[in-house]
Amino acid sequence: MIRAASDEVTARPVQYPRMAEADRIAEFKEVAELMPDDPVVRFGLAGAYLDVGRPENAADEYREAIRLKPDYSAAHRGLGRALERAGRIGEARAAYQQGLEVATRNGDLQTVKEIEVFLRRLEKAAG
């Protein structure tokens, strides 16, 4: 907002209303129907499910993204997170390991680092 010359000039980020989570899921589902072979759309739908606490649905969508693009390291990472949140720790560990292999092969160092952190957290929790 710009004020008179003697006043302070402040810049505030524009705030847009957040889309209701159910609307986000419905929108991603609609796009997924139009573009069923797009792994990025499946990844987005999975994230929307994870955001509303539906990790089993998220895991299904991450698996579909991986089926469509096996080298999608972020989808492997997401699958691990979804399985972990669903309490399926052994499966989460396996998904993270697979994601680590894919990310390493792809040279995706950011995802490698993130997955390593997630794996260490699982190891600490196990004891």
Side-chain angles (χ1 to χ4, degrees), residues 19 21-34 41 45:
M19 183 183 292
E21 297 298 339
D23 292 340
R24 268 186 73 215
I25 290 170
E27 193 171 273
F28 272 113
K29 281 181 163 182
E30 185 178 331
V31 175
E33 287 177 17
L34 296 171
V41 172
L45 178 55

Side-chain angles (χ1 to χ4, degrees), residues 28-121:
F28 272 113
K29 281 181 163 182
E30 185 178 331
V31 175
E33 287 177 17
L34 296 171
M35 303 169 65
D37 296 328
D38 188 328
V40 175
V41 172
R42 296 296 180 167
F43 183 86
L45 178 55
Y49 277 130
L50 207 53
D51 287 347
V52 298
R54 292 172 59 183
E56 295 290 346
N57 295 99
D60 291 341
E61 294 301 330
Y62 284 125
R63 282 188 192 98
E64 182 61 10
I66 292 165
R67 184 189 72 74
L68 293 167
K69 186 176 179 187
D71 67 341
Y72 196 171
S73 58
H76 287 277
R77 179 195 62 216
L79 176 59
R81 290 179 58 221
L83 292 167
E84 186 177 354
R85 289 187 188 178
R88 296 162 59 182
I89 304 304
E91 291 175 69
R93 186 175 286 112
Y96 286 142
Q97 288 292 350
Q98 181 67 35
L100 190 59
E101 291 171 20
V102 169
T104 300
R105 193 169 48 245
N106 291 347
D108 183 356
L109 299 180
Q110 178 65 35
T111 301
V112 167
K113 289 177 184 179
E114 291 170 1
I115 292 173
E116 287 173 342
V117 167
F118 297 153
L119 283 168
R120 278 196 302 273
R121 184 182 63 228

